[in-house]
Amino acid sequence: MVRLFAAVLLLAAAVPILAQGSSSSFIVQYKPDELNQVRSQLQQQGYSIMREYTDFNSLVVSGGNIAAAATASVGSSSSTPATDAVAAEINAQLAAMRGVGHVEAGGMRALFPQPATGMIIAPPSIAPPADSSDSNSTAEEAVCSESDGKLGPDADLGRRGEGIPYGVKLVQADDPAMVEVAKKFRSKVLFCVIDTGLDRTNKEFNNATTSGCMPGFPDGDTSQPFRYCYTWYEDANRHGTHTSGTIGALRNGRGVVGVSSEGAQLYHYNYFGPNMAASDDLEVAAWQECIAELDRRKLATSTPDIKLVISMSYGSTSVTDFSKAAIAALAKARNDVLWIAAAGNGGDNTINYPAGYDEVISIGAVDWNSKPATFSTFNADVELAAPGVQTLSTIPVAMTNASGYAALPFSRDILTLDTPLAALANDTNFFNKPKVARVDGSPAGTASGRLVDCGLGAEKCEADGAICLLQRGETTFCEKLLNCAAGGGIGAIIFNRDDLPECERLAGVSVDICDAAPEQGWTPAISISQKQGRALREALAAGEAVSATIRVTEVSQANEYSLDLLSGTSMATPTASGVAGLVWSAHTQCTAAEIRAALRKTAVKPANTTADRDQKYGFGIVQALAAHKYLESNPCTASGLKVTLQHSVASASTAAAPTVGGRVTVSVTVQDKATGRAAIGQRVLLNVEPSRKAVACKSYSLTTNKKGMAATSCQLLASGNNRITAKAVGGSSAATVANSSIVIRTKAQDS
């Protein structure tokens, strides 16, 4: 349980002297029964208690007299105290307090950035000719087509009808048997997506089955745990909407479908809000809220065997003893919860968390050819892989016009020349082979003017009233476009490097990541292949007067199912999560560990690989149908339930024993045999032997509450020996029966 101290709501910000580090908070673990004493000492030393995790005897604090003094000294001294030294002093002060068992600095979690364009698809193993225009070269000129394969098979989906993303196919979620599973068992699994927000106006989501965490006290009840999430249905980034769509985009005849497309139960936890990072202790609060929502649904629907898959497309190298212990405790207590997280996009062997925790399945990314993505983090923790390269999924409707995908339907005529190039007089379709891509984030509109060769765009280009021709290389795309605008350019065309395939389209260029923008705003910008760009450059070098028109058409906001292509292990993770939940929904007698084992056993390895486990793809690419069939042939054995039944004479009765005319309260407790955890929402049927004519209960069908308990009142109508039985039914566990005998006396006998 997470508690909030009201005073924290009035705090301005973290202490500046510590804000230079990764986090300005400290996690204080107190000894049992020492909470009040620790609170008192913290307040005396000027600390603010930000969060209290009562389930783990821990407080998250910030500020303090030491930090305040260090900050004040900055104003009176020319030297700035070392952040590490201040943090060490604070740590020592906290650790010395009576009742404190352990102290550590808090860390941060962040969204993984989108992979760099060059990392999305691996470069060719054999470099192309250094100068294919050399008269002595014997290499054949490349023949380009409209589709260069750079954007992958999803690039043309969802335009004229509903499409099935390649990732859904690659993991077998489109198989008719799995579609039937998604329909039949959709109420048996809850997907909790911890990410940015989700745009519920995108019609690919069913509002009846999609909900999420709202910040603050539930319904204003301050006795309940405070929720630290941001508003779930506000997505300022598109990341969260994309990951949720990968899991559950509806089969509705338009756009695309998700892995579980028949009305998946989605609960969205907006962890990041408008930011790219958040305190790592808050992920524990997110896990607890996801689990609390699972229990609420079990209770509300009387479905005790609902399972929970937590999908996390974020991470960092920060690891705290607090989070490590928390997830270990939660996973041990909850065999109905499975955690899945992204390995990372660094293309190195960094271990990121939460993917690095033992209790979490770490996911790597592969492309549509089942090849590991070059950006995908690789290490011994990577357990499984899923499609994560140029995957098509949902984005906020408001971001439709800023997406590169949105321009693709109009890209056949996005670039035209007023006069054909002399060398291309017989090829009127040259600039549609491959089709031109819009630079993400650049505005729609039309730019017409002469073309100016600005080279690599490393410095200001004199292009007043003209369109800049720029080549990739040496400097960033942002700097190239800024230098074009600084020289008066009204539009920009960027083409690919000489060392890349001639026909490869330059895709994935975006101004959304730029730190600065031109004062007058961005101008229409597009990207083309090396061959197309070289033709323009050669024409200008030959003295041709080249005039061009860039025409980027706005996408109608009537498009209520906006889509975009994104890459990353962040995209692979919800695909794997969708598969795990889809399989688990049909086999709810299985524990989380058994589902994890089935996914590992049935994963398929990329072509030409023989290793049992590889650092790039783990045990292989998840396979929904294979895992489902495996569990049909090798079913899990439910751990069973422990049912306890007892009765007591109703408090209104003054008799010492049950007597005719009196009442008894029948109480039932149901627990999971394996973990001792309360069976929430478990249906229990009561029966009276030999006859209900002797004992008449108010209800014979009970549902357990969040403590696994249920009770009813029964009237005693006739004397004799009776037995009440309680039978747990429904769910995935075998029926379990408990008995309680009642000897009913007459009033005369009792006297």
Side-chain angles (χ1 to χ4, degrees):
M1 182 177 292
V2 189
R3 296 286 186 187
L4 171 83
F5 286 84
V8 176
L9 294 174
L10 304 177
L11 294 177
V15 179
I17 193 66
L18 292 178
Q20 301 168 21
S22 61
S23 174
S24 59
S25 64
F26 287 81
I27 303 170
V28 179
Q29 184 182 40
Y30 54 87
K31 298 175 182 178
D33 303 321
E34 298 287 354
L35 174 58
N36 291 335
Q37 179 173 243
V38 172
R39 277 184 189 164
S40 176
Q41 294 172 89
L42 289 169
Q43 292 168 356
Q44 290 173 12
Q45 295 299 328
Y47 289 97
S48 296
I49 300 175
M50 302 169 66
R51 291 175 288 280
E52 179 180 331
Y53 293 88
T54 56
D55 291 343
F56 307 108
N57 292 346
S58 296
L59 303 171
V60 178
V61 304
S62 67
N65 296 336
I66 293 175
T71 302
S73 70
V74 174
S76 60
S77 171
S78 58
S79 61
T80 301
T83 300
D84 290 345
V86 174
E89 189 177 355
I90 292 173
N91 194 306
Q93 182 187 60
L94 292 170
M97 291 182 179
R98 290 183 60 188
V100 169
H102 181 67
V103 178
E104 61 185 329
M108 300 295 288
R109 291 282 183 258
L111 292 173
F112 292 120
Q114 280 284 291
T117 301
M119 295 183 70
I120 293 178
I121 301 294
S125 57
I126 300 176
D131 184 2
S132 59
S133 63
D134 191 326
S135 59
N136 294 322
S137 174
T138 59
E140 294 184 12
E141 183 179 13
V143 177
C144 304
S145 61
E146 288 196 19
S147 177
D148 63 352
K150 179 71 173 178
L151 292 180
D154 284 359
D156 295 318
L157 290 182
R159 304 190 187 285
R160 291 172 293 277
E162 188 168 66
I164 302 176
Y166 82 86
V168 173
K169 297 178 180 179
L170 200 59
V171 299
Q172 302 180 320
D174 66 323
D175 187 275
M178 299 316 297
V179 174
E180 184 61 27
V181 166
K183 290 179 181 177
K184 187 175 181 180
F185 301 110
R186 60 192 173 193
S187 64
K188 293 291 189 176
V189 65
L190 174 65
F191 297 97
C192 188
V193 180
I194 304 176
D195 211 294
T196 64
L198 180 153
D199 178 25
R200 63 181 178 182
T201 68
N202 191 311
K203 298 305 180 183
E204 287 283 25
F205 297 102
N206 183 351
N207 287 336
T209 59
T210 305
S211 63
C213 179
M214 291 296 290
F217 293 107
D219 301 319
D221 183 357
T222 57
S223 67
Q224 297 296 313
F226 188 89
R227 296 174 179 171
Y228 289 94
C229 56
Y230 291 88
T231 300
W232 71 271
Y233 53 79
E234 295 177 354
D235 187 5
N237 182 283
R238 76 180 173 174
H239 196 272
T241 302
H242 198 279
T243 56
S244 284
T246 296
I247 292 175
L250 286 170
R251 189 180 304 276
N252 55 11
R254 58 189 182 185
V256 294
V257 299
V259 173
S260 183
S261 58
E262 306 300 324
Q265 307 288 317
L266 286 172
Y267 188 73
H268 206 87
Y269 191 100
N270 189 347
Y271 182 25
F272 295 99
N275 310 308
M276 294 290 287
S279 296
D280 61 356
D281 75 274
L282 285 171
E283 73 182 353
V284 176
W287 299 336
Q288 290 183 297
E289 172 58 23
C290 292
I291 293 172
E293 177 63 19
L294 170 67
D295 290 344
R296 287 191 289 266
R297 295 197 182 204
K298 287 184 177 185
L299 189 59
T301 62
S302 298
T303 311
D305 58 338
I306 301 177
K307 306 302 180 182
L308 173 65
V309 175
I310 299 178
S311 184
M312 303 172 285
S313 292
Y314 64 87
S316 69
T317 57
S318 170
V319 55
T320 62
D321 292 335
F322 166 70
S323 293
K324 188 175 182 179
I327 195 168
L330 290 171
K332 182 178 180 181
R334 303 298 302 240
N335 59 13
D336 55 350
V337 181
L338 188 62
W339 283 263
I340 301 177
N345 297 343
D348 55 22
N349 62 354
T350 299
I351 297 178
N352 292 298
Y353 296 87
Y357 292 126
D358 292 342
E359 297 77 12
V360 179
I361 299 177
S362 177
I363 303 296
V366 298
D367 65 13
W368 49 88
N369 293 315
S370 299
K371 294 181 179 178
T374 56
F375 60 75
S376 189
T377 294
F378 55 90
N379 54 54
D381 283 322
V382 174
E383 187 168 336
L384 293 166
V389 178
Q390 297 289 36
T391 63
L392 186 63
S393 186
T394 48
I395 61 169
V397 171
M399 297 181 183
T400 299
N401 290 312
S403 73
Y405 172 85
L408 294 175
F410 313 99
S411 62
R412 281 190 54 83
D413 300 311
I414 199 171
L415 172 63
T416 57
L417 302 182
D418 294 350
T419 303
L421 302 182
L424 303 174
N426 297 322
D427 191 351
T428 58
N429 205 34
F430 180 75
F431 289 103
N432 290 320
K433 300 185 298 184
K435 291 183 286 187
V436 174
R438 175 185 184 176
V439 171
D440 282 6
S442 64
T446 301
S448 296
R450 62 189 175 88
L451 199 63
V452 174
D453 188 354
C454 296
L456 294 173
E459 55 187 28
K460 177 181 175 181
C461 180
E462 298 301 331
D464 189 30
I467 295 174
C468 302
L469 178 65
L470 300 154
Q471 187 172 19
R472 177 184 182 185
E474 188 173 310
T475 187
T476 67
F477 295 120
C478 296
E479 290 171 325
K480 295 178 191 296
L481 295 173
L482 286 169
N483 286 331
C484 171
I490 60 172
I493 302 172
I494 306 176
F495 68 97
N496 223 342
R497 298 196 313 255
D498 291 336
D499 63 333
L500 294 175
E502 287 186 302
C503 299
E504 183 179 285
R505 172 172 29 193
L506 175 54
V509 182
S510 175
V511 297
D512 290 334
I513 62 173
C514 298
D515 294 330
E519 184 177 343
Q520 67 274 26
W522 297 109
T523 58
I526 59 175
S527 57
I528 59 178
S529 71
Q530 178 219 133
K531 185 174 182 179
Q532 292 165 330
R534 194 174 65 242
L536 292 172
R537 172 169 287 174
E538 290 173 354
L540 291 172
E544 292 186 50
V546 182
S547 294
T549 297
I550 298 173
R551 185 178 294 106
V552 179
T553 308
E554 281 283 13
V555 178
S556 170
Q557 286 297 320
N559 183 1
E560 296 178 328
Y561 49 97
S562 301
L563 308 170
D564 204 1
L565 297 161
L566 294 180
S567 297
T569 54
S570 288
M571 285 62 251
T573 295
T575 303
S577 298
V579 169
L582 192 59
V583 173
W584 207 358
S585 69
H587 304 277
T588 56
Q589 73 275 19
C590 297
T591 64
E594 289 170 323
I595 292 296
R596 186 173 181 174
L599 294 176
R600 290 166 55 157
K601 190 172 186 66
T602 57
V604 62
K605 296 174 178 57
N608 302 319
T609 58
T610 57
D612 180 54
R613 182 171 184 172
D614 183 271
Q615 290 196 354
K616 292 182 178 180
Y617 55 79
F619 289 94
I621 303 166
V622 290
Q623 301 289 283
L625 182 63
H628 174 52
K629 287 186 174 181
Y630 172 79
L631 289 172
E632 284 186 323
S633 301
N634 302 274
C636 304
T637 301
S639 62
L641 299 173
K642 177 183 178 182
V643 180
T644 304
L645 175 67
Q646 61 183 18
H647 70 271
S648 60
V649 177
S651 58
S653 174
T654 57
T659 57
V660 174
R663 306 187 71 86
V664 295
T665 298
V666 176
S667 302
V668 179
T669 302
V670 186
Q671 298 171 298
D672 183 279
K673 281 185 178 179
T675 64
R677 174 172 45 85
I680 301 172
Q682 177 65 52
R683 188 177 174 218
V684 179
L685 297 182
L686 300 182
N687 191 35
V688 178
E689 298 174 356
S691 170
R692 293 185 182 180
K693 292 181 179 180
V695 181
C697 296
K698 186 175 181 180
S699 175
Y700 295 94
S701 177
L702 308 178
T703 301
T704 57
N705 60 19
K706 62 182 180 181
K707 294 183 179 180
M709 301 174 65
T712 189
S713 176
C714 302
Q715 187 171 9
L716 309 179
L717 303 176
S719 62
N721 295 328
N722 298 274
R723 186 175 69 167
I724 297 179
T725 63
K727 181 179 182 181
V729 297
S732 57
S733 297
T736 307
V737 179
N739 306 301
S740 182
S741 297
I742 302 178
V743 179
I744 305 174
R745 302 180 181 184
T746 64
K747 291 183 179 180
Q749 289 174 318
D750 192 51
S751 61

Coordinates of all heavy atoms in Angstrom, one line a residue, residues 42 147 185 192 401 404 504 508 640 710:
L42 N 12.8 12.3 11.0 CA 12.8 12.9 9.7 C 12.3 14.4 9.7 O 12.9 15.3 9.1 CB 12.0 12.1 8.7 CG 12.6 10.7 8.3 CD1 11.6 9.9 7.5 CD2 13.9 10.9 7.4
S147 N 8.4 0.2 -53.6 CA 8.6 -0.2 -52.2 C 10.0 -0.7 -52.1 O 10.5 -1.6 -52.8 CB 7.7 -1.3 -51.9 OG 7.9 -1.8 -50.6
F185 N -12.2 -16.2 -24.4 CA -11.6 -16.1 -23.0 C -11.1 -14.6 -22.7 O -10.3 -14.5 -21.8 CB -10.4 -17.0 -22.9 CG -10.8 -18.5 -23.0 CD1 -10.3 -19.2 -24.2 CD2 -11.6 -19.1 -22.1 CE1 -10.7 -20.5 -24.3 CE2 -11.9 -20.5 -22.3 CZ -11.5 -21.2 -23.4
C192 N -2.2 -4.8 -18.0 CA -1.9 -3.5 -17.4 C -0.7 -3.0 -18.1 O 0.4 -3.5 -18.0 CB -1.7 -3.7 -15.9 SG -1.5 -2.1 -15.1
N401 N -1.4 14.2 -38.2 CA -0.7 15.0 -39.2 C 0.8 15.1 -39.0 O 1.5 15.5 -39.9 CB -1.3 16.4 -39.4 CG -2.7 16.3 -39.9 OD1 -2.9 15.6 -40.9 ND2 -3.7 17.0 -39.3
G404 N 4.9 10.4 -39.9 CA 5.5 10.1 -41.2 C 4.5 9.1 -42.0 O 4.4 9.2 -43.2
E504 N 17.5 2.5 -51.3 CA 16.9 2.5 -49.9 C 16.4 3.9 -49.6 O 17.1 4.9 -49.6 CB 18.0 2.1 -49.0 CG 17.5 2.0 -47.5 CD 18.6 1.6 -46.6 OE1 19.0 0.4 -46.6 OE2 19.2 2.4 -45.9
G508 N 12.3 7.6 -41.3 CA 12.4 7.7 -39.9 C 13.1 9.0 -39.5 O 13.4 9.2 -38.3
G640 N -5.3 -25.8 -6.5 CA -6.4 -26.1 -5.7 C -6.7 -25.0 -4.6 O -5.9 -24.1 -4.4
A710 N -16.6 -14.8 2.9 CA -18.0 -14.6 2.6 C -18.9 -15.1 3.7 O -18.4 -16.0 4.4 CB -18.4 -15.2 1.3

